[in-house]
């Protein structure tokens, strides 16, 4: 590798592997306010950002549009600008913090008649909390009592909360496909407690295919869709408790389990072998070596997730997105190929892993 996949875990709005924010309504009313908020956020001016939101509300823009078509639209642009290397990770963090702060300006009216109670939480190890918060605030504006649990909620603690509060449904959010095994555990555990689950976020696929594969009771592509689905009627009560292999019989070949358990060794050995294939690595600084190891760990992580759901596109989508990010940083995407070759050498006895790695090479073929 000749460069790093900068800030993968911090990236707020990856086109292929990140969080999905609500699609803005293209009615023209919100766009000028989104432009003003973007200017304030880009300048790091929290007070100006607060003024934009309060002015938009005073001008008659409804709170949900401010939330999703102004704040949500700006956060989506933050992700695009980061991927294009026009914002640093620090800039992105500052912008996200301001967007999170201005959400508090929205009215918190107590509804006269509650629709029910919903728990909204991010899957364990999922740090991208803003999409889940947008769902929470949308449901709250629509009259639901919402328990928003925030980022990376351990499944055992989520189940304790479900038993204690008895929600009508749990909305689970995840942005990174590497969290799909943990998402599956959370879905089956919540369902075993008798509560239906709605999944959301691009970890579950742009069309929700992995939400269905993992047995979620519903899927929503964004906050508006989540609100509309819950308003349409109660989610179907979940099926009786079952095991992961009941949803994913391919796990019986043990490839996922064996690769997941050996991931640390795979990263270490691939890094060491890569140094022999790329002589320039001998001159890397300690930071460059650390970042390269992180990049390899991300590749192994996405390969493992693809094995879990037996889907090549989990891996190829990540690689294509990564190639775009590297290209924007003037790093040739072909630098990814030696890593795939070295992984295949180590996984020669794993046919599904070899198939996925080969699909990755094919996906990278058009990249510079």
């Amino acid at each position: 590798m000749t460069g790093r996949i900068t800030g993968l875990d911090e990236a707020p709005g990856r086109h292929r592997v990140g969080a999905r924010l609500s699609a803005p309504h293209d009615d023209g009313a919100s766009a000028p306010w989104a432009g003003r908020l973007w200017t304030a956020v880009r300048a790091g001016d929290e007070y100006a950002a607060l003024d934009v939101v309060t002015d938009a509300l005073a001008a008659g823009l409804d709170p949900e549009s401010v939330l999703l078509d102004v704040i949500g639209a700006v956060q989506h642009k933050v992700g695009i600008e980061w991927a294009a290397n026009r914002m640093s990770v620090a800039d992105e963090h500052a912008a996200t913090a301001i967007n999170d702060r201005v959400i508090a300006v929205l009215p918190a009216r107590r509804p006269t008649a509650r629709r029910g109670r919903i728990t909204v939480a991010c899957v364990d190890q999922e740090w991208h909390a803003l999409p889940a918060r947008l769902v929470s605030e949308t449901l709250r504006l629509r009259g639901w009592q919402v328990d928003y649990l925030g980022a990376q909620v351990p499944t055992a603690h989520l189940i304790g909360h479900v038993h204690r509060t008895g929600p009508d449904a749990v909305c689970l959010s995840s942005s990174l496909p590497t969290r799909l095994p943990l998402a599956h555990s959370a879905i089956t555990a919540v369902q075993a407690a008798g509560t239906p689950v709605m999944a959301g976020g691009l970890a579950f696929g742009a069309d929700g295919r992995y939400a269905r594969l993992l047995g979620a009771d519903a899927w929503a592509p964004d906050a508006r869709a989540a609100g509309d689905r819950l308003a349409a009627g109660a989610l179907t009560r979940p099926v009786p408790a079952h095991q992961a292999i009941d949803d994913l019989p391919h796990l019986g070949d043990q490839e996922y389990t064996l690769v997941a358990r050996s991931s640390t060794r795979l990263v270490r050995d691939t890094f060491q072998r890569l140094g022999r294939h790329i002589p320039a690595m001998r001159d890397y600084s300690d930071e460059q070596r650390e970042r390269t190891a992180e990049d390899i760990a991300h590749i192994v992580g996405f390969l493992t997730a693809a094995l879990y759901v037996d889907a090549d596109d989990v891996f190829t989508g990540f690689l294509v997105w990564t190639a775009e990010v590297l290209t924007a940083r003037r790093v040739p995407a072909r630098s990814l190929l030696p890593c795939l070759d070295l992984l295949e050498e180590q996984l020669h006895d794993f046919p599904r892993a070899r198939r996925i790695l080969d699909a990755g090479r094919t996906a990278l073929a058009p990249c510079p």
Side-chain angles (χ1 to χ4, degrees):
M1 304 280 289
T2 58
R4 75 163 300 209
I5 306 167
T6 308
L8 174 67
D9 292 321
E10 298 89 353
R14 288 169 296 282
H15 178 66
R16 289 183 174 82
V17 300
R20 167 162 291 192
L21 302 174
S22 294
H25 281 181
D26 189 17
D27 59 4
S30 303
W33 297 107
R36 285 182 55 188
L37 182 61
W38 169 253
T39 300
V41 163
R42 198 65 184 94
D45 191 336
E46 180 178 317
Y47 297 107
L50 291 167
D51 288 341
V52 172
V53 172
T54 54
D55 290 349
L57 293 169
L61 195 63
D62 68 277
E64 185 172 306
S65 293
V66 174
L67 176 69
L68 303 179
D69 304 328
V70 178
I71 301 171
V74 167
Q75 186 64 20
H76 178 67
K77 187 172 182 178
V78 169
I80 293 173
E81 294 299 291
W82 175 87
N85 201 29
R86 292 188 290 265
M87 291 183 78
S88 69
V89 171
D91 291 338
E92 175 269 308
H93 282 189
T96 301
I98 291 174
N99 281 332
D100 192 63
R101 172 70 180 86
V102 299
I103 290 174
V105 177
L106 299 176
R109 302 187 185 96
R110 186 186 299 273
T112 54
R114 295 194 184 279
R115 290 185 168 186
R117 188 169 190 170
I118 306 294
T119 293
V120 179
C122 292
V123 170
D124 193 8
Q125 296 185 19
E126 177 57 70
W127 285 97
H128 299 89
L130 191 58
R133 189 171 181 201
L134 293 181
V135 172
S136 298
E137 298 302 325
T138 299
L139 296 181
R140 193 172 283 119
L141 287 169
R142 294 190 182 194
W144 295 90
Q145 179 182 353
V146 180
D147 297 316
Y148 170 59
L149 306 186
Q152 65 146 17
V153 181
T155 297
H157 294 263
L158 174 62
I159 297 307
H161 178 85
V162 168
H163 283 304
R164 195 164 54 252
T165 60
D168 297 285
V170 170
C171 294
L172 275 179
S173 175
S174 186
S175 298
L176 289 173
T178 49
R179 313 305 186 226
L180 285 173
L182 291 168
H184 197 190
S185 297
I187 289 168
T188 55
V190 172
Q191 290 173 333
T195 302
V197 176
M198 175 184 287
L202 280 185
F204 297 102
D207 58 359
R209 67 185 64 181
Y210 304 121
R212 293 186 290 273
L213 183 67
L214 303 185
D217 303 289
W219 169 78
D222 54 46
R224 280 196 176 92
D228 293 344
R229 175 60 189 86
L230 290 171
L235 300 184
T236 304
R237 286 291 154 182
V239 298
H242 61 289
Q243 302 297 314
I245 199 167
D246 296 327
D247 297 323
L248 306 174
H250 58 265
L251 294 179
D253 67 10
Q254 294 295 302
E255 282 203 35
Y256 162 76
T257 301
L258 293 171
V259 172
R261 287 178 179 173
S262 62
S263 59
T264 299
R265 177 184 57 78
L266 283 171
V267 172
R268 182 194 65 226
D269 291 355
T270 301
F271 179 84
Q272 292 174 348
R273 297 182 188 196
L274 198 62
R276 295 193 289 270
H277 281 72
I278 303 178
M281 282 183 61
R282 288 194 292 267
D283 299 322
Y284 276 14
S285 66
D286 288 343
E287 182 180 4
Q288 286 176 311
R289 294 174 65 82
E290 180 181 348
R291 298 299 179 243
T292 299
E294 289 177 1
D295 293 350
I296 297 170
H298 287 311
I299 291 170
V300 171
F302 274 86
L303 172 63
T304 305
L307 284 169
Y308 189 81
V309 293
D310 196 34
D312 296 358
D313 59 356
V314 166
F315 189 62
T316 58
F318 162 72
L319 287 179
V320 171
W321 172 83
T322 299
E324 294 172 357
V325 171
L326 291 175
T327 300
R329 288 152 176 79
R330 296 182 175 86
V331 177
R334 62 179 178 273
S335 63
L336 295 166
L337 293 172
C339 183
L340 305 188
D341 295 338
L342 292 170
L343 282 170
E344 184 166 10
E345 288 179 12
Q346 298 169 82
L347 297 172
H348 56 84
D349 291 329
F350 296 79
R352 286 201 296 123
R354 293 201 318 272
R355 184 201 76 211
I356 293 168
L357 288 165
D358 188 56
R361 277 190 291 269
T362 301
L364 289 174
C367 300

